[in-house]
Amino acid sequence: MLTHFISLNDLTADQFRDLLAVAAYLKRRRAQGILESALAGKTLAMVFEKPSLRTRLSFEVAMTELGGRSLYIRGEEVGMGVREPTRDVARVLSRYVQGIMARVFKHQSILDLAAHGSVPVINGLSDECHPCQALADFLTIQEHLGAITGLRVVFIGDANNVARSLARAAVLAGSQLVLACPKNYAFTQADIASFGSAWGKQVIQVHDPVEAVAGAHVLYSDVWTSMGQEAEKAERLQAFHGYQINDTLIAKARGDVRIMHCLPAHRDEEITDSAVDHQRSIIFDQAENRMHAQKAILRLLMASDGAAVIAAART
Ligand code: CP
Ligand code: NVA
């Protein structure tokens, strides 16, 4: 059973598939009008050091629909590592709530919350990874492509938090992640090692987006300048010129290619209006699936019937 949800690097392929199965099961049940109060009486504290629309709202609604509550806490107010040590925040929150979700600048803050608290910790995005996003992405891929294995998922852009989690998810799923990025914005050797696949096997890097998209089942994009990197914006705009998902690039992929983006999108920078709104865009399904994927995470981490819900989801 899972203790925390911090990075997909910590998950086995079976755990990843169980989470996807539970997410799909809870989504089906919700569509049938069935909501179970598996987290009645439980509270999730949500600490946000950075802005959010999807992560905040999807966790809040997920907790409400699971019969529990969520508390939104601004990072500046808590001041983890500034007003008081993160380990003390972890200990105090653990006396009030049954789970902590945090969006942080430094991945170490998530690790400190988990190391010093006594309740499950969920990573709602750090500088290192965005595991909730990649779980929702593969739920969306499964729905639209009918499989998660044997696919060529092409990420055009920066080897950032979203790309790292997507690469690890592709490895867990038995698919391939191809990163097309400018020089100096690629995965490091350590990144590749952390994904658990040999260099060049399931995670491939190229610099030419046209080469990358040949045979692609999925084209994926994210902002070129992530939250916390604003000082590099001008330099990044220049470096990523030519790495845009647009109609010309889409035409070079498979005819049934799906377009994905974690959002928020900077339309006409990393992706054009027409690509976001393309008939093959599944971007807003991705956004919806954050809620279903996170319900699975919450259910398996915070409810007492994790094994039973996995068994129900598998049937
Ligand atoms: N994709 C994502 O995490 O969106 P928010 O930043 O709005 O939460
Ligand atoms: N890479 C982006 C993702 C936003 C959801 C960022 O970190 O800002």
Side-chain angles (χ1 to χ4, degrees):
M1 248 335 146
L2 296 175
T3 320
H4 301 289
F5 188 79
I6 293 177
S7 165
L8 294 183
N9 296 350
D10 306 330
L11 259 62
T12 64
D14 283 345
Q15 287 173 321
F16 182 68
R17 282 180 184 270
D18 282 345
L19 279 163
L20 287 179
V22 171
Y25 168 75
L26 296 179
K27 183 172 179 177
R28 281 197 304 278
R29 303 262 292 173
R30 181 183 194 259
Q32 293 160 0
I34 305 168
L35 295 176
E36 289 158 335
S37 296
L39 295 184
K42 300 202 171 168
T43 302
L44 178 74
M46 309 193 301
V47 183
F48 280 89
E49 292 183 345
K50 302 175 182 178
S52 169
L53 170 65
R54 281 144 291 271
T55 306
R56 176 181 176 178
L57 271 291
S58 56
F59 267 107
E60 282 192 9
V61 176
M63 280 304 291
T64 304
E65 291 193 2
L66 289 167
R69 287 164 183 268
S70 54
L71 298 173
Y72 171 77
I73 312 156
R74 285 171 53 246
E76 305 94 287
E77 205 167 324
V78 183
M80 287 197 296
V82 178
R83 187 164 180 261
E84 57 186 310
T86 304
R87 61 181 184 280
D88 288 354
V89 174
R91 288 186 188 122
V92 172
L93 287 179
S94 298
R95 299 291 179 106
Y96 301 142
V97 300
Q98 289 70 45
I100 301 169
M101 190 277 287
R103 167 167 284 195
V104 298
F105 283 99
K106 293 190 191 130
H107 189 71
Q108 187 60 43
S109 303
I110 300 268
L111 298 177
D112 289 346
L113 287 172
H116 299 284
S118 52
V119 297
V121 171
I122 301 170
N123 180 358
L125 180 148
S126 66
D127 54 342
E128 196 169 305
C129 55
H130 196 2
C132 296
Q133 182 68 54
L135 186 67
D137 295 341
F138 269 80
L139 177 64
T140 315
I141 289 172
Q142 181 171 272
E143 286 172 357
H144 282 275
L145 293 155
I148 56 170
T149 304
L151 304 173
R152 183 176 170 91
V153 178
V154 177
F155 186 98
I156 313 272
D158 185 22
N160 63 13
N161 43 11
V162 169
R164 282 194 203 93
S165 288
L166 199 68
R168 172 63 180 161
V171 170
L172 289 171
S175 280
Q176 199 177 56
L177 188 283
V178 182
L179 171 71
C181 63
K183 280 194 186 122
N184 303 329
Y185 293 94
F187 291 130
T188 62
Q189 298 262 9
D191 285 335
I192 304 256
S194 77
F195 303 146
S197 171
W199 184 279
K201 285 238 162 97
Q202 277 178 278
V203 181
I204 293 166
Q205 313 203 70
V206 297
H207 296 303
D208 178 3
V210 174
E211 179 191 343
V213 304
H217 297 90
V218 170
L219 291 189
Y220 197 117
S221 173
D222 182 16
V223 292
W224 294 333
T225 305
S226 287
M227 293 178 277
Q229 298 174 329
E230 289 76 9
E232 299 170 26
K233 186 165 184 195
E235 188 187 320
R236 284 173 169 270
L237 266 176
Q238 212 171 9
F240 284 93
H241 181 75
Y243 289 84
Q244 183 189 63
I245 296 192
N246 53 33
D247 290 340
T248 313
L249 200 63
I250 293 169
K252 294 185 163 48
R254 288 167 57 102
D256 60 355
V257 69
R258 305 308 203 277
I259 316 300
M260 300 181 76
H261 192 302
C262 56
L263 299 176
H266 292 164
R267 288 175 182 239
D268 288 329
E269 274 183 29
E270 76 277 358
I271 189 163
T272 56
D273 263 341
S274 62
V276 173
D277 302 325
H278 196 276
Q279 55 172 352
R280 297 245 164 238
S281 163
I282 54 172
I283 289 172
F284 295 96
D285 291 344
Q286 271 178 273
E288 175 187 336
N289 279 339
R290 290 293 303 279
M291 180 176 68
H292 305 298
Q294 287 155 200
K295 269 191 185 169
I297 298 166
L298 292 166
R299 190 83 185 252
L300 297 194
L301 285 179
M302 288 172 65
S304 50
D305 65 348
V309 79
I310 292 172
R314 279 186 185 148
T315 56

